[in-house]
Structures are given as structure tokens and as C-alpha cells.
């Protein structure tokens, strides 16, 4: 399972590089550099919360950044919000990351089309509020 999480993380980082403007070769170089280098390769099978947290953060960031929110569908938006909502359950130190990405995501949603942000905000905010309530 941890190896699968590591592989998914490497693929998501490659996709992030591609979405950030790197070509196919650049995205492949990012994937190879990360997937076969320490500490990624050497710690991929060990049970620490960092690898799952990194996967959740990268996936959420991919769908929050730039036009990622606009081009993602409702299921992807909900999954991005669920990724952020689950992070504090891995470890309390990820609360700061959640707070930062939640504010960043909120700014991205608000910068969209006027009036259209309300439906997106509900999908985005509800999982975060439920997670925060359960943690409290």
C-alpha cells in the first residue's frame, strides 16, 4: 500500500510539472528524479504519514491552483476538499498546511465567475468544516 501511495505521489508530481508548463520530457524527468532518488525511493515502503500527506497535498494543490478548479469537475473538487479535510487526521502538524491551502483555495474560488462561486464553496468548505468539528 505504501509503495502504491509513493507511485501515485510520483505520478501526481509529474502531472503537476506538466500542468505548470513542463513538456513531456520535463515531466518525465521530474518523475524519474523523484521516483528513483532518496528519500523518496528509500522510504516509499516505510509507514510514515509523510508520503500519504504529500500525496493528499499535491492532489489538492493540483486542483486548487490556477485554472485547476475551473477545469475540474464536481467529483474532483470534492476529492480535493476531502484530501485537505483528511490531512489533520494523519498528524496535527499538517493543520498549518491545511490552513494555508484552505485559504489559497478559498481565494481561487472567490476569484472565479461572480455568483458561480457559491456552489463551489459549499463543496469545498463542508468537508473542511466537518473535519474541523470532529477534530474539536
Amino acid at each position: 500500500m505504501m509503495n502504491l501511495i509513493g507511485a501515485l505521489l510520483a505520478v501526481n508530481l509529474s502531472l503537476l510539472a506538466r500542468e505548470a508548463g513542463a513538456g513531456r520530457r520535463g515531466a518525465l524527468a521530474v518523475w524519474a528524479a523523484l521516483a528513483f532518488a532518496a528519500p523518496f525511493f528509500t522510504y516509499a515502503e516505510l509507514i510514515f504519514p509523510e508520503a500519504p500527506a504529500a500525496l493528499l497535498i499535491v492532489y489538492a494543490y493540483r486542483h486548487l491552483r490556477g485554472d485547476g478548479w475551473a477545469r475540474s469537475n464536481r467529483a474532483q473538487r470534492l476529492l480535493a476538499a476531502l484530501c485537505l479535510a483528511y490531512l489533520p487526521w494523519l498528524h496535527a502538524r499538517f493543520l498549518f498546511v491545511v490552513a494555508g491551502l484552505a485559504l489559497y483555495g478559498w481565494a481561487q474560488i472567490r476569484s472565479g465567475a461572480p455568483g458561480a462561486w457559491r456552489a463551489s464553496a459549499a463543496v469545498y468548505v463542508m468537508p473542511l468544516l466537518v473535519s474541523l468539528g470532529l477534530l474539536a
Side-chain angles (χ1 to χ4, degrees):
M1 185 64 172
M2 294 305 290
N3 285 328
L4 177 63
I5 289 171
L8 288 172
L9 175 58
V11 168
N12 270 281
L13 286 169
S14 175
L15 290 171
L16 179 61
R18 180 82 178 186
E19 292 164 2
R24 283 185 192 220
R25 288 185 179 177
L28 183 63
V30 166
W31 173 79
L34 293 173
F36 299 110
F40 201 84
F41 181 74
T42 55
Y43 293 109
E45 78 278 355
L46 299 177
I47 300 176
F48 290 111
E50 283 78 9
L55 176 61
L56 297 175
I57 290 167
V58 170
Y59 183 84
Y61 180 70
R62 278 186 52 229
H63 290 284
L64 292 176
R65 68 180 287 279
D67 66 339
W69 191 262
R71 65 180 159 75
S72 61
N73 61 33
R74 186 175 286 264
Q76 290 171 323
R77 293 174 184 172
L78 178 62
L79 187 57
L82 288 172
C83 286
L84 290 180
Y86 186 70
L87 272 172
W89 294 92
L90 290 174
H91 199 279
R93 69 176 166 252
F94 297 122
L95 278 170
F96 296 108
V97 176
V98 172
L101 281 176
L103 291 174
Y104 177 74
W106 183 254
Q108 292 293 93
I109 291 168
R110 290 289 295 183
S111 68
W117 66 271
R118 285 185 178 87
S120 292
V123 169
Y124 180 67
V125 171
M126 289 308 293
L128 295 171
L129 290 178
V130 169
S131 178
L132 181 63
L134 290 172
L135 276 171

